């Protein structure tokens, strides 16, 4: 063919402006490798479609990484592609498969509304071509959409069933490594042998101990003890392979930190101070981020810390991993952290030692709240008075009493230190311990749960209808609820235990106890009632009226 003919053909070669769309639902590594493969395959498709008269030219690549088309969450690049197609900036859409574009019928109809009137074809690597300007093309697209939706829903059903089965067996269902555990989700991080000092996770063997009958390794896959036919009695224990001694947690490990912070909160330490302490020592989350107060709260309230399995928001029984704290301690912690008054925000954080602990002795029920007030310089009062720095003060919420904050706090602390240095200080611990039989409460909880399991089995077999099941299950639920309430009170952190055991109480108070622990100790030890101060100088030469303050030891 003459050269001028080739030149003429090349001059009239049609250009089809192509958009590539690539998407992957989950990209755990964040490397975009799957979307990159889709894009490369689409580029090869454009090359195959091009010929001497038509060039399929890639003008833009749209990519939504780690986003599901089924979930309904916004896909930024998909929306951007539709907008450019509406403006007529593209002539063709290339995709690896139609299910990369949409798995929702509603999204498919929007896509048809955009591409159909403009006769914009969709060409895929694996599912062929779609001409949405024709009824046949739209029918095929809808059929493919229904098939894609069906496959996703089936996959979700299989996934739910697998999670249900894992929960039934008390198994870890996967996901990011839980703080305090190894990546297997069941071995604490980090184990330590108290005899030879070996550190885990290697070099330790586990056994499944029954708290009901004491048998070892007699559990079925559903975590029912073969020896006593009890459920909800599993206790996973790790022992050193060399010494055979039960392992504990290394002092600087994540597991030990969870256990210590649980007890610290029960003893009155605030989450805010624990977060600050963790930041000072470089403690980070499993993702390497600095801890936040709400994250720490959620971490400490996880049922898995007590060796309990949570499924669909409910505790369903024991789990097949070692616990970091015992169940009574865990339930006491949850009860404390769920109290409304602990849900503090940045605007109502306690900054005063006795705020809402001191009681007004004038109105008999008002709480004193701390506040800063300016110190007035000179004798002049009113608008022209010279104002100095701020000082702490307390005022009754009903307006009855206003007292100097530093003088009142110093007076209370002086009484605390003096009381704890007496020889009988240990009596303050002995008479405040709870008198709850934890073993009996645990047995009651196990019996109630077993009854509920039996009723659920009867309902599933058709041996009773729903109305009969509800009538029979109600007493068992009440029985379980009552036992759980008892368990919440079974462990009460004693905020003064460390003070009583200290050689130098004043040093511990000043340098180891933060404000939250000091408040907890005062609230635990005494009731402080504050009346109006008498004016003028007191008999001891000071201006602080001690006689209007009444302290009763609890």
């Amino acid at each position: 063919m003459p050269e001028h003919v080739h030149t003429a053909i090349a001059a009239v070669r049609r250009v089809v402006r192509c958009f590539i769309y690539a998407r992957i639902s989950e990209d755990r590594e964040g490397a975009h490798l799957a979307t990159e493969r889709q894009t490369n395959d689409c580029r090869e498709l454009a090359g195959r479609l091009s010929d001497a008269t038509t060039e399929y030219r890639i003008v833009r690549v749209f990519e939504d990484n780690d986003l599901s088309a089924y979930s309904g969450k916004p896909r930024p690049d998909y929306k951007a592609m539709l907008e450019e197609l509406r403006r007529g900036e593209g002539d063709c859409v290339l995709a690896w498969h139609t299910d990369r574009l949409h798995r929702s019928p509603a999204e498919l109809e929007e896509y048809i509304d955009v591409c159909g009137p403009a006769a914009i074809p969709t060409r895929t690597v694996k599912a062929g071509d779609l001409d949405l300007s024709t009824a046949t093309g739209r029918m095929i697209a809808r059929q493919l959409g229904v098939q894609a939706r069906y496959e996703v829903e089936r996959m979700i059903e299989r996934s739910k069933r697998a999670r249900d089965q894992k929960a039934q067996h008390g198994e870890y269902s996967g996901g990011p490594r839980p703080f305090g555990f190894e990546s297997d989700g069941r071995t604490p991080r980090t184990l330590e042998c108290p005899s030879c000092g070996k550190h885990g996770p290697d070099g330790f063997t586990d056994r499944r101990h029954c708290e009901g009958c004491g048998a070892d390794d007699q559990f079925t896959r559903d975590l029912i003890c073969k020896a006593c036919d009890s459920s909800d009695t599993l206790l996973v224990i790790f022992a050193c392979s060399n010494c055979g001694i039960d392992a504990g947690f290394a002092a600087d490990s994540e597991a030990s930190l969870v256990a210590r912070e649980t007890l610290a909160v029960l003893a009155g330490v605030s989450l805010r101070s624990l977060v600050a302490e963790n930041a000072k020592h470089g403690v980070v989350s499993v993702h390497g981020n600095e801890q936040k107060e709400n994250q720490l709260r959620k971490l400490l309230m996880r049922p898995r810390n007590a060796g309990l399995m949570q499924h669909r928001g409910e505790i369903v029984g024991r789990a097949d991993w070692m616990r970091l704290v015992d169940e009574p301690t865990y339930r006491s912690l949850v009860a404390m952290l769920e109290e409304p008054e602990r849900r503090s925000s940045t605007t109502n954080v306690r900054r005063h030692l006795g705020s809402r602990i001191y009681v007004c002795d004038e109105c008999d029920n008002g709480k004193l709240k701390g506040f800063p007030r300016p110190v007035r310089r000179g004798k002049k009062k009113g608008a022209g008075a010279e104002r100095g720095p701020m000082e702490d003060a307390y005022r009754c919420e009903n307006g009855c009493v206003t007292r100097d904050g530093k003088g009142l706090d110093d007076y209370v602390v002086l009484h605390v230190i003096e009381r704890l240095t007496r020889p009988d200080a240990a009596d303050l611990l002995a008479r405040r311990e709870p008198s709850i039989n934890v073993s009996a409460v645990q047995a009651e909880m196990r019996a109630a749960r077993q009854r509920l399991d039996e009723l659920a089995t009867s309902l599933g077999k058709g041996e009773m209808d729903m109305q009969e099941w509800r009538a029979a299950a109600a007493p068992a639920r009440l029985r379980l609820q009552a036992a759980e309430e008892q368990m919440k009170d079974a462990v009460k952190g004693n905020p003064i235990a460390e003070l009583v055991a200290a050689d130098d109480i004043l040093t511990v108070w000043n340098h180891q106890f933060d404000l939250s622990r000091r408040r907890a100790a005062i609230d635990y030890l005494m009731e402080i009632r504050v009346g109006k101060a008498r004016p003028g100088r007191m008999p001891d030469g000071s201006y602080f009226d001690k006689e209007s303050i009444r302290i009763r030891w609890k």
Side-chain angles (χ1 to χ4, degrees), residues 231-283:
S231 61
D232 213 20
T233 57
L234 172 66
L235 177 64
V236 178
I237 301 172
F238 281 82
C240 177
S241 302
N242 294 333
C243 309
I245 296 175
D246 291 351
F249 307 141
D252 58 347
S253 67
E254 289 182 1
S256 179
L257 182 66
V258 171
R260 287 199 310 271
E261 292 188 339
T262 297
L263 294 175
V265 172
L266 284 170
V269 180
S270 68
L271 294 175
R272 186 179 299 273
S273 62
L274 290 176
V275 167
E277 190 71 15
N278 288 342
K280 186 167 66 176
H281 290 92
V283 177

Side-chain angles (χ1 to χ4, degrees), residues 27-86:
D27 184 10
R28 292 184 177 177
E29 291 80 18
H32 296 245
L33 296 179
T35 51
E36 184 179 335
R37 288 193 293 268
Q38 294 177 36
T39 300
N40 290 339
D41 288 351
C42 288
R43 291 186 185 277
E44 291 179 7
L45 175 62
R48 292 196 301 270
L49 292 172
S50 299
D51 55 26
T53 60
T54 306
E55 176 190 358
Y56 282 78
R57 182 182 298 172
I58 309 298
V59 295
R60 184 167 174 185
V61 176
F62 296 88
E63 176 185 308
D64 284 314
N65 199 57
D66 207 17
L67 282 173
S68 169
Y70 176 84
S71 67
K73 293 181 180 178
R75 291 183 283 155
D77 265 27
Y78 178 78
K79 292 295 184 183
M81 181 183 72
L82 290 185
E83 288 302 317
E84 294 202 14
L85 290 174
R86 287 189 180 98

Side-chain angles (χ1 to χ4, degrees), residues 357-482:
I357 294 177
Y358 302 159
V359 179
C360 177
D361 206 26
E362 301 295 328
C363 63
D364 203 42
N365 59 0
K367 298 285 189 178
L368 269 62
K369 297 192 292 186
F371 72 101
R373 66 178 177 183
V375 178
R376 194 169 53 242
R377 299 296 186 187
K379 296 183 179 180
K380 188 176 180 180
K381 299 182 180 180
E386 182 184 351
R387 292 182 179 273
M390 308 295 280
E391 67 176 11
D392 287 338
Y394 289 100
R395 179 168 49 215
C396 172
E397 59 189 352
N398 297 324
C400 311
V401 171
T402 300
R403 295 295 297 258
D404 166 51
K406 185 178 185 306
L408 182 54
D409 288 343
D410 288 347
Y411 182 75
V412 170
V413 171
L414 184 65
H415 277 69
V416 171
I417 301 302
E418 188 276 331
R419 179 66 183 86
L420 293 178
T421 53
R422 294 182 194 174
D424 64 344
D427 294 342
L428 296 170
L429 301 180
R431 68 169 180 258
R432 298 289 297 279
E433 292 301 317
S435 57
I436 295 176
N437 188 333
V438 172
S439 298
V441 174
Q442 288 178 321
E444 178 71 4
M445 292 171 65
R446 286 195 294 269
R449 286 173 179 158
Q450 186 172 359
R451 176 58 177 159
L452 289 171
D453 289 342
E454 292 171 354
L455 292 173
T457 302
S458 298
L459 179 65
K461 291 180 178 179
E463 296 173 356
M464 60 170 57
D465 58 27
M466 183 59 71
Q467 186 174 356
E468 292 173 329
W469 176 83
R470 286 173 180 160
R477 288 183 180 278
L478 290 174
R479 183 180 174 188
L480 178 60
Q481 184 179 357

